[in-house]
Amino acid sequence: MTILSNSNTLSPPEFIDRLEKGLADKGHTVYRIGRGKCHKNISNVHNICLNSKVNTPFNTLFLLLKLALYPKRLSSLLSQTLKLKGTKARINFISKVGPVLLLLPDIIHIHWAPNLSDWLFFQKFNIRVVCSLRGKLVNVTPNTNSELLEIYRKSLYLADGVHSVSAVMIDDLKRHEIKLPNNTRVIYSGVKNEAFTNVRKYNDEKRILIVGRDHWIKGYNYALRVLPFLDGDITMRFIGFTPTKETQYIIKILGIEKKVVFIERMAQSEISKEMRSATILLVSSVSEGIANVAIEAMYNRLLVVSSRAGGMSELIAHKETGFLFENRDVEDMRNNLMEALRLTDGKKRQIIEAAFQKVKTQHDYNNMIEEMENLYYRLI
Amino acid sequence: MRIGLVLSSLPAYSEVFLDNLINTLNELNHEVVLFVNKTEQSKYKSIRVYKIYKSGNFDRLTNLLKNLILAALLKPKRIVYVLQTGKGLRQRFRNLVKSSHLIWHDLDWIHYGFATLAIDREEVGKIMNCKTSLSIRGYDIALYTLNNSKVYLKVWNKIDKFHVISADLLEQAKFYGLERDTYRIIPPAIDISSLPMPSFKELDQKMLFRIVIVGRMNWKKGGEFMLEVLFHLKKKFDIKVDWIGHGEDFERLAFARYQLNLVQDVTFHGKLPQKEVFEIINRNNFLLHLSIQEGFSNAVLEAQALEVIPIVSDAEGLPENVLDRATGFVTKRLDLNHVISVFEEISQMDTSDLRQMARRARTRVVDHFSLNMHLQKFGEFFKR
């Protein structure tokens, strides 16, 4: 099977990267299309580079000449292009879609839903178009932007298949009267579990770990506000972002400078080490599909305390595989953190073992690849 | 006097205090010339605006060349003097670029609209043989010092006079090294005559909490926290909220409003003309202003002048703007329980006490924060 994976970038987020490489490892021909460093193909995933240096008018012309060998494809591209307004938009469209018309893969997988409508015309060529539901553009923006909501209403049901990273995302879209195709499946993100060990380092120091990019969606302001109300000597370690002025200032006015540590960048293997020596992973997000970092923490046998944002309750059963608190509720966050910190060793071990079993069955890497393959096979 | 007012850009929609400063200087019969880093179209017809650049690198280069040629022709020595300031060649050239639009002019006084704008231009006043002053505002002290607490040490020593908008900011400036006593606290002012008369406020228990929020949608204004407060308030009282303003945090706030089930209760009006802003403030009973960081706030002054009772946080200058329990309510910053308890207290208060408080607030604003007072204080400030 030939699969074109489109996440707009040649350096996709890790969960998309894992999926692409996993499918390639299974013997499928996988192409990745987007902007970014036009480096050589990594592993067996092939890159289609869309950088402006490559997309010169000359290259676009050359592409059109190549497509002239296939008149049906060319006329379809031109009629689609003429629907767009502005020369720049048209050239961009041709350079984005043209290489794929030469390729004609079996499956086009669009990872960010707003882009879907650009690719639906490939269905004319018997190519199946699959769209993923993931991220802020599905979780947040439809609730605040009626234009995007309308785009989803007009396009999502036309996809041949839809993949969602959590069940709650499907429910949310349905609540907004967005129709989805029959082939809509929840396929949970998978993590390679051989990377993890069950060896944990126990410290006297109580460390709450927060891992993630710098975005308001992650609810770090709520996490910071809870810190003065936690009893005992507790530090919060933020991994993956440089503190913004907002974060710095909140820390200053709350007087918690000595209780927070920021580590801007860290390799995945180092994050796993951090997880093995932390006490709790806190997911303070106000919106999430299912936080990959929580899955990794559970594999690392680290206790997770999370908000009930998005699909987190599909991962965590309260007090069985972790702790859940009400979204945007600092007091409830504090109560759950305190309860988690006061767990007896026996109870804690019981929860983290249950959590480990949960991710092992629900978020297995091989299962994810297999389920995605099944979705594709069902369509072709 | 010919006063050069140095700003980073032309005053934006929400920077009424800068408009007021320009108008005040004009009223005082000074000739005001604006010096900005970057500008688009100027809204001031009678004021000359000089810039470092308009937009883009090419424009930056041509403007720099133009400014340097004019300086070389008119005041060549000043280029040499500026190049003697700062450590290292790179820093010296950077200083020259930052002052290139200034140094070829004849000015009596240079006033930096924000303290940050005087950094790397500390010596310019001496080089141009004119007096220098600056305004210390919330951003300068509260945020710019976060990464470098010594950033103003050189500035404090080289500038002649300091205007500070609140006593709290003055204390913070002293904490960051201001030792000189050539400062003057001049809080922002509002033009009372541009406001409508305060309307009669229905303060009956049924619809007591008609609330207005005015401010740019960014983290400093504490928008997400205010929505959290409103969510808890809604559990106990009927509320109706008008929210005026727009900004980079719109999606963040719109999403919080959606998640907290406040879409029916909180109306986002976006950016409105001033007349409509006053109309909306005037039809509400309370102004909620729980900023995380705030220098002083003109919106809070305007609300008080319209007999709308402010409920504010204790950020920087706000407790000087609003006298707790005399002209409004001051709450602890980011303390949800405290804010809710204040609302509960208000719900128990007599209507007559609330009316009295609102009138007291208006009287205080008229007496202490009118443009006339402002004019008088700045008149004294800009005396040689």
Side-chain angles (χ1 to χ4, degrees), chain B residues 198-205 208 284-286 304 306-309 326-327 329 346 349-363:
Chain B
S199 63
F200 180 77
K201 310 289 189 292
E202 297 281 354
L203 291 167
D204 58 292
Q205 285 300 317
L208 178 63
N284 284 283
N285 295 336
F286 295 92
Q304 290 178 93
L306 291 168
E307 296 187 5
V308 173
I309 299 170
T327 63
F329 297 88
I346 294 168
M349 283 175 72
D350 278 348
T351 311
S352 60
D353 289 342
L354 289 172
R355 281 193 204 293
Q356 213 176 346
M357 181 183 275
R359 277 195 288 270
R360 209 181 294 133
R362 177 174 164 86
T363 310

Side-chain angles (χ1 to χ4, degrees), chain B residues 89-198:
Chain B
L89 208 58
R90 201 174 162 176
Q91 181 62 48
R92 288 170 186 199
F93 274 103
R94 191 183 292 163
N95 291 356
L96 181 63
V97 172
K98 281 180 96 172
S99 307
S100 58
H101 59 328
L102 263 171
I103 52 171
W104 52 275
H105 292 271
D106 284 317
L107 296 169
D108 300 303
W109 198 301
I110 297 173
H111 182 82
Y112 298 98
F114 289 82
T116 49
L117 295 171
I119 297 169
D120 297 338
R121 291 176 179 139
E122 301 92 347
E123 309 275 2
V124 172
K126 199 177 148 194
I127 291 168
M128 292 173 68
N129 196 23
C130 61
K131 280 206 128 192
T132 50
S133 59
L134 59 80
S135 290
I136 300 172
R137 301 183 188 278
Y139 171 81
D140 296 321
I141 291 298
L143 302 180
Y144 204 75
T145 50
L146 284 170
N147 291 326
N148 184 359
S149 59
K150 293 177 181 168
V151 71
Y152 292 120
L153 290 182
K154 207 171 153 195
V155 172
W156 301 147
N157 290 328
K158 301 283 179 183
I159 301 292
D160 299 314
K161 274 189 161 182
F162 304 92
H163 155 230
V164 58
I165 60 170
S166 73
D168 178 86
L169 288 180
L170 175 64
E171 283 311 306
Q172 291 197 46
K174 286 180 177 175
F175 176 80
Y176 291 111
L178 175 64
E179 287 174 345
R180 304 190 30 216
D181 57 2
T182 51
Y183 58 80
R184 198 170 163 93
I185 301 172
I186 308 176
I190 55 166
D191 182 5
I192 309 281
S193 66
S194 71
L195 297 170
M197 284 306 287

Side-chain angles (χ1 to χ4, degrees), chain B residues 277-334:
Chain B
V277 174
F278 294 150
E279 270 170 25
I280 293 175
I281 295 176
N282 210 1
R283 71 180 185 221
N284 284 283
N285 295 336
F286 295 92
L287 174 100
L288 191 63
H289 202 85
L290 305 179
S291 298
I292 297 171
Q293 190 274 314
E294 184 76 67
F296 202 84
S297 178
N298 278 40
V300 174
L301 287 177
E302 284 157 358
Q304 290 178 93
L306 291 168
E307 296 187 5
V308 173
I309 299 170
I311 301 165
V312 301
S313 73
D314 58 2
E316 286 89 27
L318 283 173
E320 292 163 63
N321 189 325
V322 176
L323 301 180
D324 190 25
R325 285 172 173 75
T327 63
F329 297 88
V330 180
T331 64
K332 288 180 198 155
R333 226 175 329 189
L334 293 176

